Amino acid sequence: MNRSPDGLPPLREVIAEHDLAPRKALGQNFLFDLNLTARIARSAGKLEECDVLEVGPGPGGLTRALLMEGARRVLAIERDSRCLPALAEVAAHYPGRLEVIEGDALKIDPREKLTAPIRIVANLPYNVGTELLIRWLTPAEWPPFWSSMTLMFQKEVAERIVARPGSKAYGRLSLLAQWRCEARMVFEVPPQAFTPPPKVTSAIVHLAARPAPLYPARADLLERVVAAAFGQRRKMLRASLRALGGDAEALLEAAGIEPTRRAETLDLSEFCALARAFEAR
């Protein structure tokens, strides 16, 4: 039997042995190239003194890379029970360093099983990726339980995370991410890297948690202001912010913002000023 650099069978053999055809309903697209998964793992930074949370490990390609790159411990949440035997083989190869939880990552709180510092590294299932990201970006307290996230998304979503004011991609996701994190796109991943190949290019995004948000604002009010502003992004703010109730023009005046501007022209500091004015009125 052929062996990979980590001494385990190649992923194609693992998938064939366990009959792990990717399921569209679970948003599964498997990465076979261990050079690529190693590159993703290295993008997360030094892992030797970190616990790593991985969501959607599938047959374990990225999991193996994280362990090879020296992760102190990996906690993997996998919804597809078919993948558990393959992951058990990885766990046996790295005694005491991999724990797998079967279940839905949207319903599991992994914090009690992790020891800081914690990094999140994942090729997220496409159907839950954005929802998980927003949850991780909007905890009740900040700093969060994680120090950084290195995540794969569809390129379109990755562009929204790192977008700047004035661009088409700029919006709610850009502001939520950049208010509390340093966000950058690391590299793109072509469709042919996956089985089955998705119809879109993917990209790796790295988000490092800031010690405190970039500008003062109440998180819940900032979310409301941003949601209202981009809910009707083609309209002037004096119209779109009516969704908040009250006098939108007075709110904009209190924040020092022209009422004829549109949401995509405001930078993060201006949205935070709006959230503070909304709180004070």
Side-chain angles (χ1 to χ4, degrees):
M1 181 185 286
N2 294 326
R3 292 282 160 179
S4 297
D6 59 0
L8 287 163
L11 275 169
R12 287 186 186 278
E13 293 182 15
V14 172
I15 287 167
E17 180 185 347
H18 294 284
D19 194 22
L20 293 177
R23 286 185 175 167
K24 190 173 183 179
L26 296 176
Q28 290 175 327
N29 298 89
F30 296 156
L31 288 170
F32 282 169
D33 186 346
L34 288 177
N35 291 321
L36 177 57
T37 56
R39 188 180 176 194
I40 296 169
R42 287 194 293 270
S43 299
K46 291 189 178 296
L47 301 175
E48 290 85 351
E49 297 177 4
C50 295
D51 279 10
V52 176
L53 173 63
E54 183 187 8
V55 172
L62 180 55
T63 316
R64 288 164 59 172
L66 292 166
L67 292 162
M68 273 195 289
E69 291 298 320
R72 178 175 67 192
R73 199 168 148 274
V74 175
L75 178 67
I77 301 174
E78 177 54 62
R79 187 176 172 185
D80 187 355
S81 60
R82 300 177 307 145
C83 296
L84 300 182
L87 293 167
E89 291 169 7
V90 180
H93 193 71
Y94 292 96
R97 291 178 58 203
L98 171 62
E99 180 180 354
V100 181
I101 301 175
E102 181 184 2
D104 183 346
L106 292 170
K107 298 176 181 176
I108 292 170
D109 184 350
R111 289 176 294 180
E112 64 182 29
K113 291 181 174 286
L114 293 162
T115 303
I118 298 159
R119 298 183 188 274
I120 302 175
V121 187
N123 168 20
L124 291 173
Y126 281 163
N127 53 359
V128 297
T130 304
E131 185 174 352
L132 279 171
L133 174 63
I134 289 171
R135 287 191 185 193
W136 290 329
L137 288 172
T138 56
E141 296 180 357
W142 197 269
F145 73 91
W146 49 270
S147 60
S148 72
M149 300 191 284
T150 305
L151 306 171
M152 186 184 297
F153 294 100
Q154 296 180 40
K155 184 184 173 186
E156 176 191 345
V157 177
E159 287 173 338
R160 284 163 51 200
I161 293 167
V162 302
R164 297 297 179 209
S167 66
K168 283 185 178 179
Y170 183 66
R172 176 174 174 246
L173 204 53
S174 324
L175 290 151
L176 287 180
Q178 294 170 37
W179 181 49
R180 287 173 154 174
C181 299
E182 293 179 40
R184 60 186 173 88
M185 200 184 304
V186 186
F187 62 91
E188 294 180 15
V189 182
Q192 56 268 31
F194 297 90
T195 297
K199 294 178 181 177
V200 295
T201 297
S202 300
I204 305 296
V205 177
H206 183 77
L207 300 110
R210 301 181 189 276
L214 205 50
Y215 305 102
R218 248 180 63 183
D220 59 332
L221 299 183
L222 179 61
E223 281 198 69
R224 284 182 63 188
V225 166
V226 169
F230 284 99
Q232 297 176 301
R233 65 183 296 152
R234 292 185 179 181
K235 292 191 174 181
M236 295 178 187
L237 288 167
R238 65 186 180 196
S240 60
L241 292 184
R242 284 180 194 149
L244 296 171
D247 187 336
E249 295 214 21
L251 177 65
L252 288 157
E253 184 180 350
I257 295 167
E258 288 289 327
T260 54
R261 290 176 64 186
R262 290 178 170 82
E264 69 267 16
T265 71
L266 267 63
D267 64 20
L268 183 52
S269 66
E270 290 173 307
F271 271 111
C272 289
L274 265 175
R276 294 193 299 272
F278 186 42
E279 182 179 18
R281 77 179 189 183

